[in-house]
Amino acid sequence: MTTAQTTPMLQPSSQALYSVEDKLIYLQSLVADEATDAIEAFLAEQSEYEIANLLESFPSDDRQYIWALVPTEIKGEVLAEVVDEIRQPLMRNISSTEISVLAQDLDAQDISEILDTVSERVRSKVMATLDEDVRLQVNQLNTYEDWEVGSYMDPDIIQIHDDITLREVQNWLRLDEDILDDQSQELLVVDKSQQLLGLLSLVDLIKHSQDTLVSELIDPAVTINDRMDIQDAASVFRSEDIRYAPIINSHGELVGQLNAEDIMEIIQDDVDSTMKHLAGVSDDEELFAPILTSAKSRSIWLGINLGTALLAAAVIGQFEAVLAKVVALAVLMPVVASMGGIAGSQTLTVVIRGLAMGQIGGSNRWWLFNKELWVGAINGVVWAVIMAIIAQFWFHNIKISMVIGCAIAINMTAANTSGIAIPLMLKRMNIDPALSASVILTTVTDIVGFMSFLGLASLLIL
C-alpha cells in the first residue's frame, strides 16, 4: 500500500529519535496492512505512556485491534494511563480474573483508577484477590471525593521514625534496594503516633555521625491536607516549586504523598477541560468519539448559542426603519460585533487562565477590572478612529463615520469589562467560568454593539 511505502521503518534501536507523529503514522501503516507481528514488535518497544497516547489517536475499531496486541505485562499500566472515556470500552470484554492478573504489579493509585470504570460486582472480585496492604490503600483512596487531594495521592510512602539513629536508617535502606529511586532526596519522618515531623535529607543521612538521632536533623516540610481541593494543591506546588508534598489528615497524621508528576497530569487535564469548555464541548468527548456521541455533546451548546443569537436578532429587529433607509449600516454592523467579540475574548482568556492558576482574588480583582476598563477604552478609541476614517472613505458620510466610531469605542470598552466581570461572577456562583462565560460574553458584546450602533444611527441619521 502507498501508506506503507511512504512511511519510514522505525528501527527499535533508534525509536527515541522519532517524533510522536512519526510513530503514529508508522503504526497507522501497520494497522492498514494488518501486520500483526510488526505491530506486536513495535508496541513491545514503547512505554505505557506512548502506547496510551497512540491508542487515544485511533478510532474505536482500530483501537480495539491494537489493544489486543499490547504486551500483557504492561496492559495494566496502559489502562491506568488512558482517559476514562477510552478505558471503559477497552475493559468491556475483560473478566474480573484478567483484571486481577493485570493488577498484580500495579500500585494502589493505578488499581483505583482502573476499578473506577468497572461494575461493583467485578470490583469486589478483584479487590478480594489483592494483597491486604494494597487492598487497604485502594480502599483508603476511595474514601475521597474526585476533587480532593487524597484521591490523587500515593499512599505507599517511605517513612522513618524520629527516635532512631542514622546508622539504623542506612541499615534499613540497604535491606531493600528498591526502597529509594533515583529521584529520592528526602525521607519522611514521623513519631510513634504517625504525626508528620518533617524531612530527613539523604545528604544529612550520609555526612553526619552515624550515631546521630534522626530527630536532630529534621527539616520542615511543605504539607498539604488530604481534603484540600486538588486545584489549590496545584497552586501550592507552583508557588513553592516542590517535587512532592507529604499529605496529612486533619489530625496531622501522615497518610500519603502527592508527586509533581500527578500535579502535571492534573494541570494538563484542567487545560484540556478549559479548552473544551471555552468551545462548548463536553469533558466526555474524546477526539475519536463516535459521530453521534460528538454531535449530541455539541448540540446542547449550539442550541444555547442559537438562543443568544435570536436575542441579538430581536435587538436588530427593533431598528428596521433605520436599516431600511441606510443600507450602509447593514454593511458595517458585523464590524462592531466582531471587534467587541475579539476584545472580550482576549480579556476572557487571560482572566480564566488567571483563575485557573489561582492568581486572581481579593483586592487585585478591582485592579484588574480598572485595568481592563482602560485597556478597552484606549483600544476602543484607537480602532474607532481608524474605522471612522475607513468608513468616511468608503461611504463619504460623516454621520455614518461618527456612528461606527462611537459604537466601536463603546462596545470594546464594554467587552473588556465584561470579559473580567462575567468569569468572576460565575466563579462566585460556583459555576465553571470556562463552561459558560464565552456564551454570555458573546451575548453581551452582540447586544451592546447592536444597541449602540443602531441606537446612535437612529439619533444621528434618521
Side-chain angles (χ1 to χ4, degrees), residues 348 352 355 418 420-441:
L348 185 67
I352 288 180
L355 289 172
S418 298
I420 184 171
I422 291 171
L424 289 179
M425 286 190 296
L426 291 173
K427 181 77 172 178
R428 194 177 186 87
M429 297 166 62
N430 292 322
I431 300 174
D432 183 4
L435 186 60
S436 310
S438 60
V439 175
I440 299 174
L441 177 65

Side-chain angles (χ1 to χ4, degrees), residues 146-412:
D146 290 342
W147 53 269
E148 291 180 324
V149 165
S151 64
Y152 294 89
M153 72 180 182
D154 182 359
D156 187 16
I157 47 181
I158 302 169
Q159 59 189 32
I160 57 174
H161 288 100
D162 63 322
D163 58 353
I164 60 176
T165 65
L166 301 185
R167 179 180 290 105
E168 291 175 294
V169 175
Q170 290 205 32
N171 289 338
W172 174 67
L173 292 176
R174 292 191 185 99
L175 291 176
D176 187 350
E177 59 182 16
D178 294 329
I179 291 180
L180 297 179
D181 56 33
D182 295 337
Q183 305 299 319
S184 299
Q185 295 183 15
E186 301 98 4
L187 298 172
L188 302 175
V189 183
V190 296
D191 61 18
K192 291 182 178 179
S193 60
Q194 203 61 20
Q195 296 284 311
L196 178 67
L197 301 177
L199 306 172
L200 172 67
S201 75
L202 296 186
V203 173
D204 287 337
L205 176 62
I206 295 171
K207 75 177 185 179
H208 286 86
S209 169
Q210 293 301 288
D211 293 324
T212 305
L213 289 174
V214 170
S215 58
E216 299 177 32
L217 301 172
I218 296 176
D219 294 323
V222 177
T223 60
I224 293 177
N225 187 271
D226 61 343
R227 298 292 177 180
M228 179 185 284
D229 189 303
I230 192 62
Q231 300 300 332
D232 294 334
S235 298
V236 173
F237 268 72
R238 286 192 294 265
S239 61
E240 298 290 343
D241 192 24
I242 51 180
R243 297 177 299 102
Y244 76 96
I247 307 302
I248 59 174
N249 60 21
S250 57
H251 303 294
E253 298 168 340
L254 180 65
V255 293
Q257 73 178 42
L258 188 62
N259 300 312
E261 60 186 38
D262 297 318
I263 288 294
M264 289 300 296
E265 184 177 340
I266 293 160
I267 293 173
Q268 182 61 53
D269 290 344
D270 190 51
V271 169
D272 292 343
S273 177
T274 299
M275 289 179 64
K276 288 181 177 179
H277 287 177
L278 283 171
V281 177
S282 169
D283 277 334
D284 296 333
E285 184 180 338
E286 52 104 357
L287 185 60
F288 293 96
I291 295 172
L292 291 179
T293 301
S294 294
K296 181 180 178 181
S297 170
R298 300 179 196 182
S299 64
I300 297 173
W301 285 102
L302 289 173
I304 293 173
N305 188 70
L306 176 61
T308 61
L310 290 174
L311 183 60
V315 172
I316 297 172
Q318 302 302 310
F319 299 93
E320 288 185 40
V322 67
L323 284 171
K325 290 187 176 182
V326 186
V327 178
L329 297 179
V331 175
L332 294 173
M333 192 165 56
V335 176
V336 180
S338 177
M339 292 298 288
I342 291 297
S345 296
Q346 289 174 335
T347 302
L348 185 67
T349 301
V350 172
V351 171
I352 288 180
R353 179 187 180 277
L355 289 172
M357 298 285 287
Q359 297 173 333
I360 299 178
S363 61
N364 72 10
R365 290 175 295 185
W366 291 109
W367 189 95
L368 286 171
F369 185 86
N370 185 58
K371 172 205 166 185
E372 291 302 328
L373 174 64
W374 282 103
V375 169
I378 292 171
N379 277 334
V381 170
V382 170
W383 291 104
V385 171
I386 292 173
M387 190 60 218
I389 293 172
I390 294 173
Q392 184 61 30
F393 278 108
W394 195 345
F395 298 103
H396 306 288
N397 187 320
I398 189 63
K399 289 184 177 180
I400 290 178
S401 300
M402 290 173 61
V403 167
I404 186 70
C406 291
I408 284 179
I410 292 170
N411 200 26
M412 289 185 68

